[in-house]
Amino acid sequence: MHVLTLEKLAKDGLLAGKRVLIRSDLNAPHDENGRITNETRLVASVPAIRTALDAGAAVMVMSHLGRPTEGTVTPADSLAGVARRMGELLGCDMPLVADWVDGVKVGPGHVVMLENCRCNVGEKKCNDELSKKYAALCDVYVNDAFGTAHRAQASTVGVARYADVACAGPLMAAEIDALTKSVEEARHPLAAIVGGSKVSTKLTILSNLAEKVDRLIVGGGILNTFLLAAGKPIGKSLAEPELVDECRKVLAAKGASLPMPVDVVVAKAFSADAEHRVADVDDVAEDEMILDVGPKTAAILADILKSAGTIVWNGPVGVFEMAPYAEGTRVMADAIAEATDKGAFSIAGGGDTVSAVHQFGIADRVSYISTGGGAFLEFLEGKKLPAVAVLEERAAQ
């Protein structure tokens, strides 16, 4: 993937005095009192804004928050709290501007926050007239919101078509680079881990990766349906029997080998306090549920990962939030960290995966942690991300 970057424009001295419109992803979670409970996206968005400010640009930042109704802005929809916190992170004032579509006043070296863009009528449907109004606000449009890259909206795709210059911010550029390295330009052996509760939510990903990777590891509830497809007993484990045939197609696909477990951790109740045991994969009782892979299986998976050249991780292999069922994911996490230490490229994405990365203390031993949940998943499905595609088109012009 080739796109123009904000970093290059700044390096070439092309931002001074320019009006720069940055699409950030500041959709941070809030508590019932409106306090931001996780600042990860805010902190990740600072470098793009700082780059533009330091280059002498007049900076406008737009983002969405939640799922508002177009045409209205309620207090719950407002970016006022986000603007205050972003100003603190940047060390400067960051006024919030309402009713900004028809014009914004901001001088070089200053920055403003534009009120929730998803409140604008036509935003979600990528209205052409609205997109042109966005483009008229700026000399340079910057997309730094990878988390919305799978959305073809006015603030992510439409404005990029009409702005004089359209480029990727540092966060977007880093995501594009990492994803390209993880699949399209991967060093082999390429291993992918796909976990989660339901096959139905990851079937397209599994089918796509099965044709591209060397080893495909499945875990969580997804594994249970694959075990059914392989004729193994799963007791009362979470599964989707109606998708057994689809799982068999993945198992039979040419390309990736899919290592199946030899042992599993089972319990009679979904609880950390429930009595549990390690069972042979052929010895799961009717009243038991599978909640993790067993130690022998974890060791097998670890050996696969330690020898990989590239690792794509999306989903734990067990209920890692509960101590009795966390060992499989911990062993796998340690193996990924060890492989990365030896030179493998590793990328982790998805909410549960990122939580596991931090829980097991390997955040600084993974090559890249993706910030884009839905966008990361759609890339793994083999889909073209609209916001990335338009930046590629503009770079080729």
Side-chain angles (χ1 to χ4, degrees):
M1 299 183 203
H2 174 69
V3 299
L4 179 64
T5 66
L6 179 67
E7 182 181 26
K8 177 169 174 48
L9 292 175
K11 184 178 180 181
D12 292 346
L14 299 176
L15 296 179
K18 300 294 185 181
R19 299 170 301 150
V20 174
L21 176 61
I22 302 176
R23 175 50 160 107
S24 300
D25 183 3
L26 306 175
N27 186 31
H30 292 66
D31 64 17
E32 62 276 8
N33 297 314
R35 289 188 294 256
I36 298 169
T37 57
N38 187 325
E39 297 186 342
T40 301
R41 288 175 175 171
L42 277 63
V43 173
S45 299
V46 167
I49 302 168
R50 177 50 57 196
T51 296
L53 285 173
D54 290 348
V59 184
M60 298 159 281
V61 178
M62 66 174 170
S63 175
H64 72 286
L65 180 66
R67 297 181 178 179
T69 300
E70 290 188 357
T72 63
V73 183
T74 69
D77 301 326
S78 179
L79 284 164
V82 172
R84 283 193 296 272
R85 183 57 184 143
M86 287 298 294
E88 292 170 356
L89 292 171
L90 288 162
C92 65
D93 290 334
M94 194 176 198
L96 179 68
V97 180
D99 302 320
W100 50 269
V101 172
D102 292 314
V104 179
K105 290 183 179 180
V106 57
H110 296 275
V111 58
V112 296
M113 175 76 73
L114 309 181
E115 188 57 279
N116 196 333
C117 63
R118 283 196 184 159
C119 293
N120 296 331
V121 176
E123 162 65 20
K124 287 184 282 188
K125 291 187 177 180
C126 199
N127 177 269
D128 213 42
E129 182 180 353
L130 182 63
S131 299
K132 290 177 180 178
K133 286 188 174 184
Y134 287 171
L137 296 173
C138 65
D139 303 302
V140 177
Y141 165 74
V142 183
N143 193 331
D144 202 41
F146 179 76
T148 66
H150 58 311
R151 308 288 189 195
Q153 300 179 343
S155 66
T156 60
V157 173
V159 60
R161 293 194 185 114
Y162 298 113
D164 290 343
V165 176
C167 68
L171 180 58
M172 175 70 84
E175 292 274 1
I176 292 172
D177 181 59
L179 291 171
T180 301
K181 287 180 180 178
S182 68
V183 178
E184 295 179 6
E185 298 175 1
R187 284 175 291 172
H188 290 260
L190 167 56
I193 307 108
V194 179
S197 59
K198 294 184 177 181
V199 173
S200 54
T201 62
K202 301 283 182 77
L203 186 58
T204 309
I205 295 171
L206 292 165
S207 299
N208 183 54
L209 290 179
E211 298 178 358
K212 295 183 177 180
V213 307
D214 302 300
R215 295 294 185 96
L216 179 59
I217 297 168
V218 296
I222 290 174
L223 174 61
N224 299 333
T225 306
F226 273 90
L227 287 172
L228 267 184
K232 304 294 184 181
I234 65 167
K236 60 178 183 178
S237 304
L238 174 69
E240 294 176 283
E242 69 277 11
L243 292 177
V244 162
D245 287 344
E246 296 297 329
C247 289
R248 285 176 179 150
K249 290 178 184 177
V250 175
L251 286 168
K254 294 180 179 178
S257 63
L258 199 154
M260 298 297 284
V262 294
D263 59 348
V264 290
V265 179
V266 297
K268 294 186 178 182
F270 188 80
S271 169
D273 299 325
E275 183 178 344
H276 58 277
R277 69 183 181 100
V278 176
D280 184 276
V281 72
D282 293 309
D283 187 34
V284 177
E286 289 185 2
D287 61 348
E288 292 178 323
M289 60 181 71
I290 300 168
L291 299 176
D292 194 14
V293 297
K296 292 179 182 178
T297 300
I300 292 169
L301 300 181
D303 286 342
I304 291 171
L305 294 170
K306 288 176 186 178
S307 64
T310 305
I311 301 168
V312 179
W313 184 14
N314 177 241
V317 293
V319 188
F320 73 97
E321 302 92 340
M322 299 181 187
Y325 322 116
E327 190 64 8
T329 302
R330 185 198 65 76
V331 170
M332 191 175 69
D334 287 345
I336 292 170
E338 184 176 329
T340 307
D341 291 344
K342 292 178 182 178
F345 179 81
S346 56
I347 181 170
D352 286 344
T353 310
V354 174
S355 294
V357 164
H358 290 290
Q359 178 173 318
F360 299 117
I362 65 164
D364 60 345
R365 299 173 67 197
V366 175
S367 304
Y368 193 80
I369 299 175
S370 177
T371 61
F376 180 74
L377 293 179
E378 291 204 10
F379 179 87
L380 295 185
E381 288 178 14
K383 295 179 179 178
K384 197 75 170 177
L385 301 178
V388 175
V390 72
L391 293 179
E392 290 182 292
E393 291 168 9
R394 292 302 306 273
Q397 291 176 354

